Amino acid sequence: MKRKQLGLLLSSVMMFGLLAGCGSNNAESSNTKTKGNNSGTAQEAGQTSKETVKLKFFTGKVETVDLMNTLIQKFNSENPGIEVEQEYQKDASNVIKVKFASGDIPDITTVVEQDYIDQGKYLDLSDEAFWSRVLPAIKELSTDVKTGKQYRVATNVTMAGIFYNKKIFAELGLKEALTWDEFKSNLQAIKDKKQDVTPMFIAGRESWTLGHLIEFLPHGIIKQTLGVNGSREAFINNESVKLKFDQDNGPMDIFAKRLLELNNGGLINKDVLTATYDNQKEAFATGKAGMISQGMWVLGDLLKINPEFQNDIGFSPYPSIQDGTKPVVLSADDSRYAITSESKHPEEAKKFLEFLLQPDNLKTYSEFLKSPPAFTDVTADWGPLKDQANQALKTGVNIPFTDTPSGFSGDDAGRMVQELLAGQYTTSLDFAEAYKAAWDKAWKATHK
């Protein structure tokens, strides 16, 4: 499906949700394990503990750990003889490699990588009944470009872009920026006229947030140039001529230059390398930061910090960072689930997945995460940015997440950005060349 078609589909879905609505992580944690409080359920059902099926649910999605605990408890209480245990890992993309190698394999997971699809690590879900309820655009994004099959299902549509403080923008007479010069000018105005406000706050200690900058900014150039499926194929097959990772004034070189401009100009927080995701949310929600780069998943936490802030939150696409390109907005499948092919309890895992995909549970999840549902039979009041999100889809080129090699996760890419900000690369081109080398090494490791 072409970008324009995807944007129209997602725009229509969110507009429908708006009309229907009118009618109706501690990120510092490295390991969290929880299970439902139904230890006596099996015994009450006349079963022995040996008969209880233990399902391992592995996730890297910090925002939903507490909610998933609640849903898991509900599932466990309704399904005597099955007990789901959740494990959260901050660096889940790398941790799952160890799990696959050691045999400590989860039954169901939110971590889905193309290389593991190629290796047959996930069950084929193509024939499951729930696909008739999934938005066509999201089903397409969930489809493996190599086999045409579906090994994962996403519960939500997510977006990412620039969140900005509307009150500050109004006071300074600023408008949403679509070009790099406009974006930088807005940041400079905040720095000059709001000296107690950080123009743009980046959570640099959290490598995944920096990895997202790469996915949305330099990779955004590639995605809009090649299209949704064309770029997915280029990333998956490592088509270096099309990706241009190490090219002078190519996407990665331009990105490094732009980020260093912000850092050297004092337009981002001075503590960028030590600032956490929690620090970023706190600064933005309390008016101490003018802008942040984030996705709709952050909304719930922002409103917990400051419930009165919702009317001051603005949302716009990422500005174009290279002349001749357009602004972009992430519009993709989110909260993906897959069942591992080596699960000893695939039928029980499917039962848990079907439970998560029940309309009532999807509605609860969507409203908690402040993200529109990917299922047509779910109506949810998912958040205060519906109108702005719809407008952003029309303004910016809609791009998906990046299909990265399993040995080079978003955390790995983010760590390279940390090195860039720490001055470990002599030039922006050095960073671009190092990025290509790291990508190629990871890709070759799984394509021997």
Side-chain angles (χ1 to χ4, degrees):
M1 183 178 294
K2 295 181 180 179
R3 295 191 306 274
K4 183 176 180 181
Q5 294 171 310
L6 174 60
L8 289 174
L9 269 171
L10 296 182
S11 297
S12 299
V13 170
M14 280 187 281
M15 186 58 70
F16 172 79
L18 174 61
L19 294 173
C22 291
S24 57
N25 120 30
N26 185 347
E28 293 302 311
S29 301
S30 62
N31 184 4
T32 302
K33 291 187 178 181
T34 56
K35 57 186 177 181
N37 294 327
N38 69 325
S39 58
T41 303
Q43 287 81 353
E44 292 170 3
Q47 298 175 334
T48 66
S49 59
K50 291 183 179 179
E51 294 173 331
T52 299
V53 170
K54 303 277 189 177
L55 283 182
K56 298 178 181 179
F57 171 56
F58 180 72
T59 182
K61 199 167 183 65
V62 65
E63 295 89 354
T64 61
V65 169
D66 290 340
L67 175 61
M68 289 304 300
N69 284 341
T70 301
L71 291 174
I72 286 170
Q73 289 179 11
K74 180 182 177 184
F75 175 82
N76 289 350
S77 66
E78 294 177 358
N79 294 273
I82 305 176
E83 187 175 284
V84 179
E85 180 180 271
Q86 176 176 210
E87 178 183 355
Y88 161 72
Q89 290 282 357
K90 183 169 62 175
D91 196 3
S93 295
N94 283 318
V95 173
I96 202 167
K97 290 189 294 186
V98 178
K99 288 185 173 294
F100 279 133
S102 66
D104 180 23
I105 299 171
D107 298 283
I108 185 168
T109 180
T110 63
V111 184
V112 190
E113 305 285 355
Q114 181 65 42
D115 292 340
Y116 296 138
I117 291 176
D118 296 343
Q119 295 170 30
K121 298 292 188 184
Y122 307 109
L123 280 185
D124 180 3
L125 301 176
S126 304
D127 295 329
E128 298 302 314
F130 55 70
W131 288 112
S132 63
R133 302 162 50 216
V134 178
L135 292 168
I138 297 302
K139 182 177 180 181
E140 182 173 13
L141 288 174
S142 302
T143 300
D144 176 34
V145 297
K146 295 184 178 181
T147 65
K149 297 180 178 180
Q150 292 86 32
Y151 296 94
R152 71 188 191 216
V153 60
T155 61
N156 290 78
V157 180
T158 194
M159 295 176 63
I162 296 296
F163 285 74
Y164 63 91
N165 188 306
K166 292 167 68 174
K167 186 176 181 180
I168 291 176
F169 267 49
E171 288 178 7
L172 302 182
L174 305 179
K175 297 181 180 180
E176 293 181 1
L178 300 182
T179 68
W180 182 254
D181 286 343
E182 292 170 350
F183 183 69
K184 192 175 176 182
S185 176
N186 283 348
L187 294 175
Q188 189 65 52
I190 295 172
K191 179 184 178 183
D192 293 342
K193 299 176 182 179
K194 289 280 187 180
Q195 296 182 4
D196 58 338
V197 175
T198 299
M200 182 175 182
F201 196 104
I202 296 178
R205 181 171 178 175
E206 312 291 350
S207 58
W208 65 268
T209 68
L210 299 177
H212 275 174
L213 289 180
I214 286 183
E215 287 202 74
F216 307 148
L217 294 173
H219 287 189
I221 295 173
I222 298 168
K223 292 166 186 174
Q224 67 175 277
T225 301
L226 301 179
V228 173
N229 285 337
S231 62
R232 288 189 68 197
E233 291 174 357
F235 286 124
I236 289 170
N237 298 318
N238 195 20
E239 300 174 20
S240 58
V241 174
K242 294 181 179 180
L243 297 175
K244 302 178 182 179
F245 283 154
D246 62 345
Q247 180 175 299
D248 187 17
N249 285 320
M252 300 309 303
D253 183 31
I254 288 290
F255 165 73
K257 288 176 180 176
R258 299 308 194 198
L259 187 58
L260 291 176
E261 281 180 32
L262 300 186
N263 191 39
N264 296 337
L267 300 178
I268 60 177
N269 43 309
K270 295 179 180 179
D271 62 345
V272 59
L273 289 175
T274 58
T276 67
Y277 181 42
D278 285 342
N279 296 150
Q280 182 191 57
K281 292 182 289 187
E282 180 74 23
F284 186 62
T286 57
K288 296 178 181 177
M291 300 185 218
I292 61 172
S293 163
Q294 272 302 338
M296 290 298 176
W297 54 80
V298 78
L299 271 175
D301 286 348
L302 293 178
L303 298 180
K304 284 181 182 178
I305 295 171
N306 184 4
E308 305 301 319
F309 188 49
Q310 69 174 29
N311 293 328
D312 292 332
I313 303 175
F315 180 78
S316 66
Y318 290 99
S320 59
I321 64 170
Q322 186 176 53
D323 292 342
T325 62
K326 298 178 181 179
V328 299
V329 59
L330 177 76
S331 179
D333 52 327
D334 185 42
S335 294
R336 304 165 175 175
Y337 297 90
I339 297 173
T340 58
S341 58
E342 294 183 52
S343 168
K344 296 179 181 179
H345 309 289
E347 294 307 314
E348 289 83 357
K350 285 184 179 180
K351 191 170 186 177
F352 178 55
L353 180 59
E354 290 168 359
F355 167 83
L356 295 177
L357 302 183
Q358 291 175 4
D360 286 349
N361 292 331
L362 288 172
K363 181 179 186 296
T364 298
Y365 187 93
S366 182
E367 292 180 350
F368 176 88
L369 200 61
K370 306 300 181 187
S371 178
F375 282 66
T376 58
D377 57 351
V378 179
T379 300
D381 184 12
W382 56 267
L385 296 183
K386 291 177 184 176
D387 289 342
Q388 292 183 74
N390 191 48
Q391 183 57 48
L393 284 173
K394 296 177 182 178
T395 304
V397 176
N398 301 170
I399 62 171
F401 284 111
T402 302
D403 294 280
T404 60
S406 62
F408 190 61
S409 68
D411 288 288
D412 295 319
R415 282 186 274 273
M416 294 192 70
V417 180
Q418 289 173 338
E419 294 169 355
L420 173 68
L421 291 169
Q424 295 186 30
Y425 297 99
T426 304
T427 67
S428 57
L429 189 58
D430 288 339
F431 169 80
E433 291 172 347
Y435 184 86
K436 182 181 187 302
W439 180 286
D440 287 348
K441 181 179 179 180
W443 189 86
K444 290 175 182 176
T446 55
H447 293 79
K448 295 179 180 179

